[in-house]
Amino acid sequence: MDPVSEIEYHLVVAEFDALWGRPHSDANRRRMDYMICVIAAFEESRGKPPAS
C-alpha cells in the first residue's frame, strides 16, 4: 500500500474517529480496518513505529 499525503492522512484519521463513535456494523468495521492500514503505512513512511 502506498502511503497517502499528509492531508489525506489527517482526513482518514478524522473519518476513523467519526466511525469509532458509531455502531460497529460490518461495513464500518471493514472500512476502519482499511483505514488502520492506511494510517500505519503513512506513519511507517515517516519513520514512526507502529502503535501497539
Side-chain angles (χ1 to χ4, degrees), residues 8-48:
E8 292 169 317
Y9 167 79
H10 288 289
L11 292 171
V12 168
V13 169
E15 182 183 355
F16 184 91
D17 288 343
L19 286 176
W20 185 263
R22 294 183 183 166
H24 292 259
S25 68
D26 287 340
N28 283 354
R29 194 174 314 266
R30 284 191 301 274
R31 179 71 178 149
M32 290 172 74
D33 287 345
Y34 169 76
M35 287 188 279
I36 288 170
C37 293
V38 170
I39 291 166
F42 177 83
E43 291 178 349
E44 287 175 17
S45 76
R46 297 295 176 110
K48 185 175 179 183

